[in-house]
Amino acid sequence: MGATVGIYFKTTQLPVRYLIYIAMTALARVLIEIVGAEHRTGLDLVVVAGAILILSFAELVLRFGSYKFPSDAPGSELGQT
């Protein structure tokens, strides 16, 4: 979270990909808790795995979008007249 805030104040762009990585890590920990400590399987396991899959698909879409449609450097249009 600290790196995300630091990057935002340096570039004025919010790196959403880092937040997705944090969410995927948190869900992976929940998945480990479900399987390892509680020894449950079933719908809980599928829901958490599906959420991780959806987040990884969102990351793929963001990477493809930033590759296909790159943004200009922030403030670059201000210096041109």
Side-chain angles (χ1 to χ4, degrees), residues 38-54:
E38 299 175 10
H39 300 291
R40 290 187 308 183
T41 58
L43 188 59
D44 296 341
L45 183 71
V46 172
V47 168
V48 174
I52 293 173
L53 184 66
I54 289 171

Side-chain angles (χ1 to χ4, degrees), residues 23-71:
M24 287 172 66
T25 303
L27 286 173
R29 289 180 179 182
V30 169
L31 190 63
I32 291 170
E33 178 73 23
I34 288 173
V35 174
E38 299 175 10
H39 300 291
R40 290 187 308 183
T41 58
L43 188 59
D44 296 341
L45 183 71
V46 172
V47 168
V48 174
I52 293 173
L53 184 66
I54 289 171
L55 285 173
S56 59
F57 181 71
E59 170 63 24
L60 180 68
V61 168
L62 285 174
R63 281 187 180 254
F64 178 74
S66 66
Y67 173 75
K68 194 73 171 169
F69 307 106
S71 63

Side-chain angles (χ1 to χ4, degrees), residues 1-16 18-19 22:
M1 290 300 285
T4 303
V5 172
I7 291 171
Y8 173 74
F9 284 121
K10 287 182 184 177
T11 64
T12 65
Q13 294 179 346
L14 184 63
V16 176
Y18 292 136
L19 299 175
I22 292 169

